[in-house]
Amino acid sequence: MNRRNLLKSAVLTTATLPLAGGGAVALAAPRAASKTFLLVHGAWHNALHWGRVAQHLSALGHRVLSIDLPGHGLNARFPSAYITGEWAKFAEEPSPQRDISLDECASAVVDALRALKGGPRPILVGHSMGGTVITRVGELAPDQVGRLVYLSAYCPLRLKKPSAYGALPEAKTDQGSTLIIGNPAALGAVRINPRGNASYLEALRSAYYNDVEMREFLPFALALTPDLPAALWTSEVVATRERWGRIPRSYIRCTQDRALMPGLQDLMIREADAFTPTNTFEQKTLETSHSPFASQPARLAELLTSLR
């Protein structure tokens, strides 16, 4: 087998192909009970972080698409100091992504949903900050979504802004307090340093991937983008009962989460159920950190498949 055929074989074996829009799709042979999943990553992450989950879902016979939100993955733009390693400047340099809006991110997801033609309406999965995005998507395009799935994710209904939930007592944690670089208001982004020293990376692992060994964590860490556009954290998210509120939804709680504390997850579930008492969350639980796509991808894929 020549080099070209060998590479082609490897791509087909993993069943994960790059898309022009900065996403990845996992293809599988159609099955009668096949579902379609659109996976939306959280802050600083990208489509690549869903790779193992997408492969498991594909092996179970489902169609899977994961995308890079604007400002993430192959769509990212980087502060110059991040490239040069001038860390004092890095803490002060305004983000080249500071103008990216929540609606821009939501529109990218709506476009991806509309491109998934044929079959049942997609199950839209949002992790962490991706919950803010899918909440907006549910309001903008409820007819495009078969189910909303919040994976230890923000569902900011009563207080509207994720940042407002981050200030609540239920959000308090002793993890990650030293991870944020600079002043987000001045930078226009919530900034981390995936190229930080060993102690910084250990703090990052402990806060977000605490059930993943450092050796396994590093590939996930080094694929992160440093700047989360501030609008995804501070924008108001408007959701109505008539549009977002009519979509079936599930919440996957992560009980060992040190980033989005279980108490805060439960608070947002209660608020959403009170908002639409005739359409409440289907709740599932994983005994994992904030990042089950890294620590338990097969179990997460099985759980997603089991959703009604």
Side-chain angles (χ1 to χ4, degrees), residues 15-64:
T16 302
L17 305 175
L19 296 182
V25 61
L27 304 174
R31 297 182 186 178
S34 179
K35 298 176 182 178
T36 298
F37 293 90
L38 176 57
L39 309 177
V40 178
H41 60 78
W44 310 300
H45 288 67
N46 58 62
L48 182 63
H49 291 91
W50 286 112
R52 293 175 182 172
V53 176
Q55 289 179 8
H56 284 294
L57 286 170
S58 177
L60 292 168
H62 304 295
R63 183 168 61 154
V64 191

Side-chain angles (χ1 to χ4, degrees), residues 1-284:
M1 181 181 290
N2 62 32
R3 177 179 172 84
R4 176 175 296 177
N5 287 337
L6 180 62
L7 290 173
K8 181 185 292 185
S9 176
V11 169
L12 292 176
T13 299
T14 60
T16 302
L17 305 175
L19 296 182
V25 61
L27 304 174
R31 297 182 186 178
S34 179
K35 298 176 182 178
T36 298
F37 293 90
L38 176 57
L39 309 177
V40 178
H41 60 78
W44 310 300
H45 288 67
N46 58 62
L48 182 63
H49 291 91
W50 286 112
R52 293 175 182 172
V53 176
Q55 289 179 8
H56 284 294
L57 286 170
S58 177
L60 292 168
H62 304 295
R63 183 168 61 154
V64 191
L65 175 67
S66 56
I67 65 170
D68 292 332
L69 292 174
H72 294 78
L74 296 180
N75 298 320
R77 290 169 283 162
F78 300 91
S80 61
Y82 184 68
I83 306 302
T84 62
E86 299 173 85
W87 301 128
K89 180 181 176 183
F90 181 58
E92 299 178 351
E93 182 182 349
S95 175
Q97 309 198 131
R98 59 189 177 275
D99 295 329
I100 293 174
S101 69
L102 173 61
D103 272 2
E104 186 177 348
C105 293
S107 294
V109 177
V110 173
D111 289 344
L113 286 168
R114 289 174 174 158
L116 289 169
K117 298 178 180 178
R121 285 183 294 178
I123 297 170
L124 181 58
V125 183
H127 172 247
S128 191
M129 193 61 63
T132 301
V133 178
I134 70 169
T135 300
R136 183 64 180 145
V137 171
E139 186 67 17
L140 292 174
D143 293 335
Q144 299 292 325
V145 182
R147 175 172 289 272
L148 293 168
V149 180
Y150 291 76
L151 174 60
S152 194
Y154 284 92
C155 183
L157 294 180
R158 181 176 62 87
L159 299 180
K160 301 188 183 302
K161 298 180 180 181
S163 57
Y165 284 89
L168 293 176
E170 290 86 350
K172 299 305 178 186
T173 173
D174 59 357
Q175 298 288 326
S177 61
T178 62
L179 294 175
I180 303 304
I181 307 295
N183 179 355
L187 302 179
V190 183
R191 178 169 291 171
I192 62 171
N193 186 5
R195 296 174 60 197
N197 60 25
S199 61
Y200 184 94
L201 288 173
E202 171 54 27
L204 190 64
R205 187 202 66 81
S206 181
Y208 292 94
Y209 288 74
N210 50 284
D211 56 352
V212 180
E213 296 294 330
M214 177 61 77
R215 181 178 62 182
E216 301 295 327
F217 163 67
L218 284 176
F220 287 89
L222 297 178
L224 296 169
T225 299
D227 284 2
L228 170 72
L232 273 71
W233 179 241
T234 60
S235 293
E236 286 197 354
V237 183
V238 177
T240 63
R241 294 177 178 86
E242 295 74 22
R243 296 180 67 82
W244 173 87
R246 74 174 191 247
I247 305 171
R249 62 178 186 263
S250 303
Y251 200 105
I252 302 176
R253 301 169 63 255
C254 294
T255 61
Q256 298 176 24
D257 199 327
R258 297 176 178 175
L260 204 166
M261 298 295 286
L264 185 56
Q265 298 173 47
D266 292 339
L267 172 67
M268 290 186 287
I269 291 170
R270 291 195 302 271
E271 290 183 354
D273 288 352
F275 185 63
T276 57
T278 61
N279 180 29
T280 59
F281 270 116
E282 174 192 17
Q283 295 187 46
K284 302 287 185 177

